[in-house]
Amino acid sequence: MAASLPSSAAASPPPLLRRNAAPPLSFRHSRRWRRPAAVRKDGRSAQLALPPAARPGSNGASGAISAAAAGKALPYKGREGQGSPWMVFLATAVAVCGSFEFGTCRYGHDRAHVMQVGYSAPAQDGIVSDIGLSNSEYGVFGSVLTIGAMIGALTCGRLADTLGRKMTMRFAAVVGIFGWLTVYFAKGAMMLYAGRVFLGYCTGVLSYVVPVFISEIAPKDIRGALAASNQLFICAGCSAAYIIGTLLSWRSLVVVGLIPCAVLFVGLFFIPESPRWLANKGRDKEFHSSLRKFRGEDSDISEEATEIKDYIESIRQLSKATIQDLFQRKNIYAVTVGIGLMIFQQLGGINALGFYTSYIFSSIGFSGKLGMTLIGLVQIPITLFGALLMDRSGRRALLLVSSSGTCLGCLLTGLSFYFKAQGLYSQFVPTLALCGILVYYAAYSVGMGPVPWVIMSEIFSIDMKAIAGGLVTLVNWISSFAVSYSFNFLMNWNPAGTFFMFSAASLTTVLFVARLVPETKGRTLEEIQTFLEAT
């Protein structure tokens, strides 16, 4: 079983706790996960499991963190404000324009792969005829997006820490606009490739900074749902581009990508910066102003502000984080969870199915266009349903249900290919394939799609977020490329075996989540770090 953060049920303040007081957890932690006291620059140990105000001999609002670490949490009245959260919703709406942009960019990538195996759509035909590309050159046009995304993943963490979350999103929006315009005015293959690399870089940066920004501004009770809107708008971007792409020329389709970039760029002028980033940079006046805007002018932010400041002060006792710190015992648990979820998200076959869905349907004797339409009708409402459940059922429950569902979906699809190869139940093969893929997409959309990104934005401390978050994002893109690139070869080898492999990977995901992934719902980011410090 995996670690579960203690409940925030009201309780009397406990006696002052020692550094090593262990919280009651849902499994017995192995000693290998226990974190030693952090070492300061001067070589003396520093107590970082609890912020200064929560340590023995100190007073302050952050005593609630100490209580939470001991499994006896204090009430949360006033912690994250009782005012109107309209600014949080506005800021989230602006940020997820980047997610929508992400979806429109990946749409072009998906269709490029689909074309390589025989599916031709109006936009693809237009590019091939206007520019004079071969099918293989068009495949490169789609694939270079991943190269740009990997470069974006390598730089996104440092950019977000140095420039701020807002400025990084604005920079990505400018790169995205430049990329779309380059594609629009392209007269040859090289300009098309350059535009796709710029778009890939844009999506690589946005795939990290959007969920991080939302998690840092959202109150704990709705953080999961708001962060999950990232995946919802990725799906919406894909669907919008797919539908509009059947109606417009390929150059006109560029507008679908330009609009969210423009809205993101302009909208960022009207929302505050992440208060946690401001606090980490020592900009106290702006920190309090930003936090008050996000919690409402009539809310009491003193307790939450103290908790954030205390935690950041404790972080500053450490030397500057480096790549080597990822492999220290104090960080390895969070890094293992983050990387593991991203790898398993891709090993389940989502990008392989996404890139080749039409081909899969055609191979099994089902209409590719009808299948794609049904998937679009299923994916968005199910993703919305998962977002609504995120802060009710919790992250772990959604992951367990989702990975179990993707296991079943791949198993059914694999069986359809097996029956077709063996000449068995031929009348049921198309229906079995359709059911399998629809089950897969529904299950993926409710959990394995959004939750890994939500957890990634929650589990890393603010000093490690740039390095660890960038690494996790890079792993996701590399895994995506590896699975999608190898899928065609695997299908030529053994179609049924390919889906049975995806099913086995999803089953392994269930075990990974049950054993290692912590539950983070209902906790502030600082309390999550306190918990991870104690594991």
Side-chain angles (χ1 to χ4, degrees):
M1 296 176 63
S4 176
L5 293 183
S7 171
S8 60
S12 300
L16 291 174
L17 302 174
R18 295 192 304 273
R19 164 71 172 84
N20 294 326
L25 305 177
S26 61
F27 73 86
R28 296 181 180 178
H29 291 285
S30 170
R31 293 180 62 85
R32 67 180 181 274
W33 295 119
R34 293 197 176 277
R35 303 179 60 169
V39 178
R40 296 176 50 169
K41 293 180 181 180
D42 57 9
R44 293 177 294 176
S45 63
Q47 289 180 311
L48 292 185
L50 301 177
R55 296 182 196 141
S58 59
N59 297 315
S62 294
I65 304 178
S66 173
K72 300 178 180 179
L74 294 177
Y76 277 80
K77 294 180 179 179
R79 291 192 64 146
E80 295 194 346
Q82 303 299 323
S84 171
W86 72 269
M87 182 57 76
V88 173
F89 294 124
L90 174 63
T92 300
V94 170
V96 294
C97 289
S99 306
F100 191 92
E101 165 67 12
F102 183 1
T104 60
C105 290
R106 287 188 65 84
Y107 159 80
H109 186 48
D110 295 354
R111 291 169 67 124
H113 280 81
V114 170
M115 182 176 179
Q116 285 181 298
V117 289
Y119 178 75
S120 180
Q124 295 170 338
D125 291 338
I127 292 176
V128 171
S129 61
D130 290 354
I131 306 298
L133 299 183
S134 66
N135 281 0
S136 60
E137 287 175 324
Y138 192 91
V140 174
F141 167 71
S143 299
V144 293
L145 181 135
T146 304
I147 296 174
M150 291 179 187
I151 299 172
L154 284 171
T155 60
C156 62
R158 288 301 184 192
L159 282 175
D161 266 13
T162 303
L163 302 179
R165 305 343 185 189
K166 278 179 56 178
M167 185 60 70
T168 301
M169 286 189 285
R170 187 176 292 126
F171 171 70
V174 171
V175 174
I177 292 172
F178 186 75
W180 282 116
L181 291 177
T182 302
V183 171
Y184 182 82
F185 291 107
K187 301 298 182 181
M190 294 309 297
M191 280 193 70
L192 284 174
Y193 297 163
R196 289 293 283 177
V197 170
F198 286 126
L199 290 173
Y201 183 86
C202 169
T203 58
V205 172
L206 291 173
S207 63
Y208 165 80
V209 72
V210 169
V212 166
F213 175 73
I214 294 173
S215 290
E216 290 183 351
I217 68 172
K220 60 183 175 60
D221 294 331
I222 58 173
R223 187 180 63 240
L226 293 181
S229 64
N230 172 56
Q231 181 70 22
L232 176 64
F233 277 80
I234 291 174
C235 295
C238 288
S239 298
Y242 180 81
I243 294 170
I244 298 174
T246 61
L247 305 175
L248 301 178
S249 68
W250 70 273
R251 292 192 191 273
S252 300
L253 187 59
V254 167
V255 177
V256 179
L258 280 174
I259 291 175
C261 282
V263 173
L264 177 63
F265 181 84
V266 174
L268 288 168
F269 288 102
F270 299 96
I271 63 175
E273 177 59 272
S274 161
R276 287 178 169 88
W277 181 81
L278 293 169
N280 191 43
K281 293 300 179 181
R283 294 158 63 170
D284 291 351
K285 184 176 180 180
E286 294 170 83
F287 159 66
H288 284 92
S289 174
S290 173
L291 188 61
R292 184 167 297 282
K293 287 179 181 178
F294 281 123
R295 299 297 177 258
E297 294 298 328
D298 59 340
S299 63
D300 179 8
I301 64 169
S302 59
E303 198 167 350
E304 184 183 5
T306 301
E307 178 180 330
I308 294 172
K309 291 288 291 181
D310 283 349
Y311 182 76
I312 288 177
E313 286 301 318
S314 71
I315 288 294
R316 286 177 180 167
Q317 297 179 39
L318 293 174
S319 58
K320 186 177 180 180
T322 63
I323 294 178
Q324 289 81 359
D325 293 333
L326 291 172
F327 307 101
Q328 293 181 0
R329 291 179 62 188
K330 65 179 182 178
N331 297 315
I332 195 66
Y333 177 36
V335 171
T336 300
V337 170
I339 290 179
L341 285 176
M342 292 302 180
I343 291 176
F344 282 119
Q345 182 190 64
Q346 299 303 323
L347 288 182
I350 180 57
N351 278 314
L353 267 73
F355 296 160
Y356 296 96
T357 297
S358 182
Y359 166 70
I360 294 169
F361 280 132
S362 299
S363 299
I364 215 71
F366 194 84
S367 169
K369 288 187 177 181
L370 177 58
M372 293 293 290
T373 302
L374 291 175
I375 288 171
L377 293 174
V378 166
Q379 204 167 12
I380 293 179
I382 292 295
T383 303
L384 177 59
F385 179 65
L388 296 176
L389 288 178
M390 192 75 66
D391 293 303
R392 294 177 179 269
S393 60
R395 284 61 155 160
R396 270 172 42 82
L398 289 179
L399 284 174
L400 291 170
V401 170
S402 177
S403 51
S404 299
T406 57
C407 177
L408 175 62
C410 285
L411 180 62
L412 294 176
T413 307
L415 286 174
S416 70
F417 277 101
Y418 177 78
F419 291 152
K420 179 183 178 183
Q422 299 298 319
L424 302 173
Y425 312 114
S426 57
Q427 68 273 27
F428 298 114
V429 165
T431 302
L432 190 61
L434 176 64
C435 291
I437 292 178
L438 290 180
V439 167
Y440 180 92
Y441 271 101
Y444 177 85
S445 299
V446 81
M448 285 304 295
V451 176
W453 293 105
V454 174
I455 291 181
M456 179 278 292
S457 67
E458 295 175 328
I459 60 176
F460 298 120
S461 60
I462 197 163
D463 64 320
M464 291 300 301
K465 191 167 286 188
I467 298 175
L471 174 63
V472 167
T473 304
L474 177 63
V475 166
N476 181 273
W477 281 103
I478 292 175
S479 302
S480 169
F481 177 79
V483 172
S484 58
Y485 181 80
S486 62
F487 181 73
N488 200 26
F489 300 101
L490 291 172
M491 288 292 285
N492 289 332
W493 163 68
N494 190 325
T498 299
F499 283 94
F500 291 151
M501 289 170 57
F502 290 153
S503 182
S506 294
L507 181 60
T508 307
T509 305
V510 175
L511 302 178
F512 177 83
V513 172
R515 180 65 183 88
L516 284 180
V517 177
E519 180 57 75
T520 58
K521 74 166 184 174
R523 298 291 92 201
T524 66
L525 298 182
E526 289 69 36
E527 288 171 337
I528 294 171
Q529 290 309 308
T530 299
F531 168 76
L532 295 177
E533 290 280 349
T535 59

